[in-house]
Amino acid sequence: MSTQDNPSLGTLVADLAQQVSTLVQTEARLLRAEISENATKAGAGAVEVLGGAICLLAALLILLQALVIALARLGLGAGWSALLVGVVVAVLGVILLRTGMASMAPSALAPDRTQEQLKRDVNVIKEQAR
């Protein structure tokens, strides 16, 4: 057998090191791309949420004024009507704020695909090193 058919241990180690280096570089590019993609999605979503929130705020103010007037006409004083509506809206706002903040947690923006790919790559490297 020639040495080309049966490479030396040094050649195999050098090849493995080169492949691992290439793999790490590829995974780093994947990570950067995935983080950039997630940041772009989050930015576009934030702009849409802001526009929707402005429109809904205007509508909500008008509807809340109408509710206060309706409650006052039903016999509840204007002050009590405004207080009742204000408390209900404040409770709803706190609930929405908490759920919204939970969905924007940093864990939701983690590069999951890259993490899974890195785990598979580590397993492949371990298998090749045996």
Side-chain angles (χ1 to χ4, degrees):
M1 281 191 158
S2 69
T3 57
Q4 289 182 355
D5 291 339
N6 193 9
S8 69
L9 179 60
T11 303
L12 290 175
V13 170
D15 286 346
L16 179 60
Q18 175 63 33
Q19 290 176 3
V20 168
S21 174
T22 302
L23 179 63
V24 168
Q25 291 171 358
T26 302
E27 294 302 330
R29 284 192 300 270
L30 176 63
L31 176 63
R32 284 191 297 270
E34 189 172 355
I35 288 173
S36 175
E37 179 183 321
N38 286 345
T40 301
K41 285 180 184 177
V47 169
E48 291 173 354
V49 166
L50 180 60
I54 291 170
C55 292
L56 287 174
L57 181 60
L60 180 63
L61 291 175
I62 293 168
L63 292 172
L64 292 176
Q65 288 174 346
L67 182 59
V68 169
I69 292 169
L71 289 174
R73 286 190 178 167
L74 290 176
L76 194 60
W80 288 111
S81 297
L83 179 64
L84 176 64
V85 170
V87 168
V88 169
V89 170
V91 169
L92 179 63
V94 168
I95 292 169
L96 290 173
L97 185 64
R98 287 185 181 204
T99 57
M101 288 176 63
S103 68
M104 291 176 34
S107 61
L109 301 176
D112 298 328
R113 294 181 307 224
T114 301
Q115 289 175 346
E116 289 301 317
Q117 184 61 42
L118 284 173
K119 287 177 186 177
R120 288 191 295 265
D121 293 343
V122 166
N123 290 335
V124 168
I125 291 169
K126 285 180 181 179
E127 288 297 320
Q128 287 185 357
R130 289 184 189 175

